[in-house]
Amino acid sequence: MKKNRYVCASAASLIAGTILFCISISQTAFAQSAFPNKPIRLVVPFPAGGATDNIARPLQNELLSVAKWNVVIDNKPGAGGNIGAEVVAKSPPDGYTWLMASVGTHGINLPLYTQGGGKLPFDPIKDFTPITLAAELPNVIVLNVEFAAKNNINTVNDLIRFAKANPGKLNMASSGNGTSTHMAGELFKSMTKTFMTHLPYKGSPPAVTDLMAGNVDLMFDNLPSCINYIRAGRLKALAVTSLKRSPAFPDLPTVAEAANLPGYEATAWFGIVGPAGMPQDIVNKESAELIKAINSPAVREKYIAMGAEPVGNTPAQFSAYIKNEIAKWTKVVKDSGAKVD
């Protein structure tokens, strides 16, 4: 009788264990299939209204509309994007924190901030998980309208002549140290043997505001940040910094062709990364949804209208892209002698 009770107890224990195991498996599967089950924080390391923010907003809207993913944008500007990037690098790798990375945070800043023994508060390779590249876009040389008219600057060659005749008198704004708007100007200075005083801002919006007010003379701005001001005649555009002309302004030459500077190229890009150590299944799911959003008609239309080219690639492709960008900009920083101002 005791033996039977023992067998029954053992059987009951086995059944209970099996039930608990099945429940555990079911809960795990549900958690994975239900991801995300809370809002995703997208850190934009520049102010609202700038190119980085403008690339993020259509993605936020599309993910909510189609995938029903609630993405909350958190603007954390400063230090050329390094402040926001550091926040994400130190966040839990659970898939609920993204960074809108850029050519600055994941291409330029490493060589720029570490030359001469400096230190970056994160490693753009080791501290992040690439998810997908969202868009690429050119910068554009824009001048204060009154300044351009007063000094008869209507072409890139006019700008070069003025800069050489007035060394140090041109004030060049940027959206921050290490941004593509900064390095586009540094590369231009290096290749044309000119000097302009660099004035870094905490993002494009305040820099463009000062440019239109006449407090600074020119800027190599991301096209989405200033495209409406160019169209409204509030900024004077001279050329784009890409190797090809922009479909948004087909009559605007490239810097390379306008000033006979073969090889001049200083474009910008933006992509989604998370902290290092994210589970691969979550990375794959997020990448797939983001690529669908980037290639949706709604997002493509908005990107193209602001002069950006939609991309959307795999995590592996984006990882290789970032490594190539760091190598490219390391050479540019070294050759141009660029420094943090």
Side-chain angles (χ1 to χ4, degrees):
M1 197 71 173
K2 289 182 180 179
K3 183 177 180 181
N4 288 340
R5 284 200 298 269
Y6 176 78
V7 169
C8 290
S10 298
S13 177
L14 178 62
I15 292 169
T18 302
I19 291 171
L20 288 173
F21 177 74
C22 291
I23 290 173
S24 176
I25 292 279
S26 175
Q27 287 176 336
T28 300
F30 175 78
Q32 290 176 342
S33 63
F35 179 90
N37 53 29
K38 63 180 181 180
I40 295 172
R41 178 191 187 194
L42 173 52
V43 175
V44 174
F46 292 96
T52 316
D53 188 73
N54 289 340
I55 294 295
R57 299 284 168 178
L59 280 180
Q60 177 194 35
N61 295 335
E62 184 69 13
L63 288 171
L64 179 61
S65 174
V66 176
K68 307 306 178 187
W69 287 15
N70 184 13
V71 177
V72 179
I73 291 178
D74 183 7
N75 294 90
K76 287 196 170 298
N82 290 344
I83 291 175
E86 183 181 8
V87 168
V88 175
K90 295 179 178 178
S91 295
D94 55 7
Y96 287 97
T97 306
W98 294 345
L99 172 73
M100 182 55 81
S102 69
V103 63
T105 62
H106 283 68
I108 297 169
N109 287 0
L110 181 62
L112 185 67
Y113 279 80
T114 57
Q115 66 174 342
K119 189 176 181 180
L120 205 60
F122 56 84
D123 186 308
I125 300 295
K126 296 179 181 178
D127 293 339
F128 295 92
T129 300
I131 300 175
T132 192
L133 176 64
E136 298 173 312
L137 52 91
N139 294 322
V140 57
I141 303 178
V142 283
L143 278 69
N144 173 272
V145 173
E146 289 76 19
F147 176 83
K150 177 182 177 182
N151 295 287
N152 296 313
I153 302 176
N154 297 298
T155 67
V156 178
N157 282 327
D158 290 339
L159 175 62
I160 294 170
R161 282 194 291 269
F162 182 88
K164 287 185 174 180
N166 300 275
K169 291 186 178 180
L170 276 169
N171 292 322
M172 179 188 78
S174 81
S175 54
N177 283 307
T179 61
S180 69
T181 68
H182 172 202
M183 293 309 300
E186 294 294 343
L187 184 60
F188 182 83
K189 287 158 60 176
S190 175
M191 293 182 70
T192 59
K193 303 296 189 291
T194 56
F195 176 74
M196 295 178 279
T197 302
H198 175 221
L199 300 175
Y201 284 75
K202 289 185 177 180
S204 283
V208 170
T209 297
D210 266 10
L211 178 59
M212 290 189 294
N215 296 325
V216 290
D217 305 319
L218 79 158
M219 185 175 179
F220 289 70
D221 196 21
N222 296 145
L223 188 51
S225 302
C226 61
I227 191 168
N228 291 330
Y229 300 122
I230 295 171
R231 287 172 173 160
R234 298 182 65 186
L235 289 173
K236 172 77 173 179
L238 300 185
V240 292
T241 64
S242 49
L243 291 179
K244 296 180 180 180
R245 294 192 179 200
S246 169
F249 291 103
D251 295 332
L252 203 60
T254 67
V255 172
E257 66 177 305
N260 191 25
L261 292 173
Y264 179 91
E265 181 190 17
T267 53
W269 56 261
F270 306 92
I272 301 291
V273 301
M278 288 173 56
Q280 194 58 49
D281 59 333
I282 290 179
V283 175
N284 293 340
K285 184 170 186 176
E286 292 183 340
S287 179
E289 288 296 338
L290 282 163
I291 289 171
K292 279 195 288 186
I294 291 164
N295 288 308
S296 69
V299 173
R300 286 186 63 85
E301 181 180 343
K302 286 183 173 64
Y303 280 5
I304 291 169
M306 66 176 77
E309 180 181 347
V311 183
N313 60 9
T314 66
Q317 289 170 331
F318 190 25
S319 177
Y321 183 95
I322 290 171
K323 291 173 183 175
N324 288 336
E325 284 292 290
I326 291 173
K328 166 188 168 182
W329 287 105
T330 296
K331 184 178 186 305
V332 172
V333 169
K334 181 180 178 181
D335 292 347
S336 68
K339 60 183 181 179
V340 175
D341 295 293

